[in-house]
Amino acid sequence: MKRIDLIRYLLSHGCELFREGGNHSVYINREKQRSSAVPRHREINDFLAKKICRDLQIPDE
């Protein structure tokens, strides 16, 4: 999955960019009080994308 597609999906489910790290961007779900790091690669493995969604407690894409 492309990183930009995952970010659009996260934003559409109420997640926000919390901060930019060295190699990752940290997104948070304020409603559920959860956070997860999204790596800065063009392609993100589908397994990792599902884990990020589970960490943020939003439905898997």
Side-chain angles (χ1 to χ4, degrees):
M1 160 182 286
K2 299 235 182 243
R3 180 179 191 269
I4 191 69
D5 293 336
L6 177 60
I7 290 172
R8 284 184 189 140
Y9 183 75
L10 296 178
L11 294 175
S12 71
H13 281 82
C15 298
E16 304 173 0
L17 177 65
F18 180 64
R19 67 179 172 87
E20 293 285 341
N23 296 320
H24 294 82
S25 301
V26 178
Y27 282 83
I28 60 172
N29 185 345
R30 291 191 189 272
E31 181 180 311
K32 309 262 176 144
Q33 300 295 316
R34 306 292 272 165
S35 68
S36 185
V38 178
R40 287 205 191 118
H41 301 289
R42 288 185 188 266
E43 288 288 327
I44 295 177
N45 187 351
D46 289 337
F47 178 76
L48 180 58
K50 287 181 182 180
K51 183 190 179 308
I52 291 169
C53 291
R54 272 187 262 128
D55 287 347
L56 293 169
Q57 294 183 346
I58 60 173
D60 293 348
E61 184 174 32

